[in-house]
Amino acid sequence: MKNNKLVFLKSLLKELTTPAYGCTEIGIVAYACAAAAKNLKSAITKADIYVSPFIYRNDANVGVPHMGKIGIEAIAAAGFVVKNPRNKLSVLSKISKTQCEQAKAMGNKKIIKVHVELHCDPVFVKVIAVDKNNNTCEVLIEGQHDVIRRIKFNNTILEQNQSMGKQQAGKYKFNVNEISLADIYHCVHTIKLNELKFLEKGVEMNHKVKQHGMDNKDHFTEATHKTVSTTWEDKVILLTTAAISSRMLGCPLPVMASSDSGDHGLTVNLPQHIYHTSENTSELLMYQAIAFANLITWKIKKNIGSLSAYCGSVVAAATATVCGIAWQKEFNLKQINDLINFCICAFAGVLCDGAKLSCSWKVQSALLTGFQALRLVEKNSCLPDNEGIVNKDAFESIKHLGNLSKAIKDQTNNELVSIIEANIENQKR
């Protein structure tokens, strides 16, 4: 493997495994609102929040850390009350009980209106807020979750950032499709334990969220608990379910994300540690498995899109975490290739219908299917080559999946917005 690809992938791994606080799409709305409130200074009397269908679906039913309340209006109100955008996507991590009450009171005034913009970048939030002195502040975030593109105050531009996209992975830059499965496989084999110790803090974060979920079981986690045994597979299912459910209900703890998603991070990283402790694998194998799974998640997410019609936690993260466990089982390159194809074949139709409690059920279902795929590959089984979207080279299968994702993206998400809006109206009755 060329050394420059090795440097790229090692650097990329550090960028992929960053802390996240609350649902990522909660953070982007709160961040924009906090920036607007900071510039206005006086009390806000009216606010219009414009979001893409992708942001809307992920914020409509998700729990807000510390508040428990769901919905974009609650998220926006919390951002306006905090007023400090310095922490960007973690802007709500320091919200106080008093601020929570203030945000709830602001939400009850019905001064915040949410609008869905159908023709925009998937990552799109625009806030237009008016204060009691009739000053107006507009904040735009577009293309990248944590970068404000423009701030306007009374039609005067205060800040403008035209740069799009992250400067990624150090000195060397590679297009995602220039990186093969063999590149990732051989790269991870070269990484030593001391080079992976930076992942330890993230493992600890995710363990705390998992424990929070077990200590505060929702009805679904409780029901899952009653159905499992003591096998490593059942432990992975139960504890991953507990962690994701807890986060979707507003767990006030950070997680180690993967490819900009906290749920992906829990799905990708928790099972590796659970399998390691259950089956007594080496620490090196466990950390290499985390690295491998995060890089596979990146490969799939870059093809289907950061925000897509597909459920990234299933299509990308569940596929990747099964590959991580295969790594700890010391599968060879062909076996992992066959395993990815099994997962892509099974998960290709799983749509994202927003961040919410039932995301944990989707991941649970995917893990069950993935574990069956592991058993099939261990028995030297594989899918037929070049059938449907499955190619002999699993990374070609991923490219086909990406093409499908792009083809169905807008129409699918627009329809989902209509469904979610109708369900929210039904809840109010």
Side-chain angles (χ1 to χ4, degrees):
M1 179 181 181
K2 291 183 179 179
N3 185 59
N4 50 4
K5 282 188 177 180
L6 177 63
V7 172
F8 170 79
L9 290 171
K10 284 183 177 180
S11 181
L12 176 64
L13 180 62
K14 291 184 178 180
E15 295 179 5
L16 295 174
T17 53
T18 55
Y21 185 85
C23 176
T24 308
E25 277 66 57
I26 287 178
I28 186 174
V29 171
Y31 177 31
C33 291
K38 181 182 178 182
N39 283 283
L40 286 173
K41 296 184 174 62
S42 61
I44 291 169
T45 57
K46 178 184 176 185
D48 290 283
I49 316 295
Y50 299 85
V51 298
S52 73
F54 298 86
I55 301 297
Y56 180 84
R57 76 178 187 199
N58 283 343
D59 279 351
N61 292 294
V62 72
V64 181
H66 297 289
M67 295 183 68
K69 197 172 181 180
I70 59 175
I72 296 177
E73 291 88 348
I75 297 164
F80 285 136
V81 167
V82 171
K83 296 183 182 179
N84 186 355
R86 182 176 58 189
N87 290 327
K88 294 191 173 184
L89 301 183
S90 298
V91 68
L92 300 185
S93 62
K94 303 295 183 183
I95 192 170
S96 67
K97 288 183 180 180
T98 300
Q99 288 173 324
C100 284
E101 292 305 314
Q102 290 172 343
K104 289 176 183 177
M106 184 179 187
N108 290 335
K109 292 179 180 178
K110 308 296 183 184
I111 61 173
I112 300 171
K113 296 188 182 302
V114 177
H115 313 270
V116 181
E117 289 283 300
L118 298 182
H119 305 291
C120 59
D121 191 275
V123 179
F124 179 90
V125 173
K126 182 168 71 174
V127 174
I128 302 176
V130 180
D131 69 9
K132 66 180 183 180
N133 297 318
N134 211 33
N135 293 310
T136 300
C137 185
E138 177 186 312
V139 178
L140 172 67
I141 296 177
E142 184 179 28
Q144 187 177 326
H145 286 75
D146 60 351
V147 176
I148 291 174
R149 297 294 165 203
R150 184 178 68 245
I151 298 177
K152 288 169 64 177
F153 184 83
N154 292 338
N155 294 319
T156 299
I157 294 177
L158 301 182
E159 181 181 322
Q160 187 144 347
N161 184 351
Q162 299 292 349
S163 175
M164 295 289 281
K166 295 181 181 179
Q167 295 299 311
Q168 202 170 55
K171 178 179 177 182
Y172 298 105
K173 309 292 187 297
F174 288 91
N175 180 282
V176 64
N177 290 321
E178 294 178 283
I179 302 297
S180 68
L181 177 58
D183 289 334
I184 295 174
Y185 184 85
H186 294 307
C187 164
V188 175
H189 266 299
T190 69
I191 304 179
K192 297 178 174 58
L193 182 58
N194 66 328
E195 297 178 280
L196 294 168
K197 277 294 189 177
F198 71 92
L199 296 169
E200 188 172 25
K201 185 176 180 181
V203 170
E204 292 172 359
M205 281 182 192
N206 290 358
H207 174 78
K208 289 178 181 177
V209 174
K210 172 258 292 181
Q211 195 57 49
H212 185 276
M214 290 300 293
D215 292 341
N216 303 274
K217 295 186 188 75
D218 65 283
H219 69 279
F220 181 60
T221 302
E222 187 65 56
T224 301
H225 198 184
K226 293 175 181 177
T227 67
V228 299
S229 64
T230 58
T231 66
W232 70 262
E233 293 183 5
D234 278 356
K235 287 178 184 176
V236 167
I237 286 169
L238 171 62
L239 299 177
T240 306
T241 295
I244 294 174
S245 294
S246 178
R247 188 167 184 270
M248 290 295 93
L249 290 171
C251 173
L253 295 171
V255 300
M256 179 170 76
S258 179
S259 295
D260 295 324
S261 167
D263 273 13
H264 294 8
L266 292 171
T267 304
V268 167
N269 302 312
L270 259 182
Q272 308 317 317
H273 187 257
I274 297 165
Y275 182 84
H276 159 70
T277 55
S278 179
E279 300 301 296
N280 199 30
T281 61
S282 73
E283 193 177 26
L284 174 61
L285 268 182
M286 188 266 288
Y287 279 115
Q288 285 182 334
I290 291 175
F292 187 66
N294 276 280
L295 290 170
I296 296 296
T297 301
W298 166 79
K299 175 73 179 186
I300 298 174
K301 283 297 295 280
K302 290 294 283 187
N303 272 272
I304 67 172
S306 176
L307 290 169
S308 76
Y310 286 127
C311 173
S313 291
V314 169
V315 174
T319 297
T321 206
V322 173
C323 290
I325 291 170
W327 185 278
Q328 294 195 71
K329 285 174 168 285
E330 301 188 78
F331 278 27
N332 61 36
L333 182 58
K334 181 187 182 303
Q335 287 176 306
I336 290 176
N337 184 88
D338 293 340
L339 182 61
I340 292 172
N341 270 336
F342 269 117
C343 291
I344 293 298
C345 177
F347 302 156
V350 181
L351 298 176
C352 173
D353 56 342
K356 62 211 176 309
L357 181 60
S358 59
C359 291
S360 58
W361 168 239
K362 285 189 175 185
V363 171
Q364 184 178 135
S365 303
L367 290 173
L368 285 164
T369 301
F371 296 157
Q372 176 64 5
L374 275 169
R375 290 188 284 271
L376 287 168
V377 173
E378 283 182 306
K379 298 294 184 183
N380 298 316
S381 179
C382 63
L383 293 173
D385 296 338
N386 306 317
E387 188 177 86
I389 68 167
V390 172
N391 189 277
K392 184 176 182 179
D393 178 351
F395 273 23
E396 286 298 310
S397 304
I398 291 170
K399 285 173 68 175
H400 298 327
L401 186 71
N403 290 335
L404 283 172
S405 176
K406 295 177 181 68
I408 67 172
K409 181 182 70 173
D410 292 334
Q411 185 174 351
T412 301
N413 278 283
N414 294 349
E415 184 61 31
L416 277 168
V417 166
S418 298
I419 292 169
I420 292 168
E421 286 179 328
N423 283 339
I424 290 172
E425 285 302 312
N426 287 335
Q427 289 171 8
K428 292 177 181 177
R429 291 171 187 166

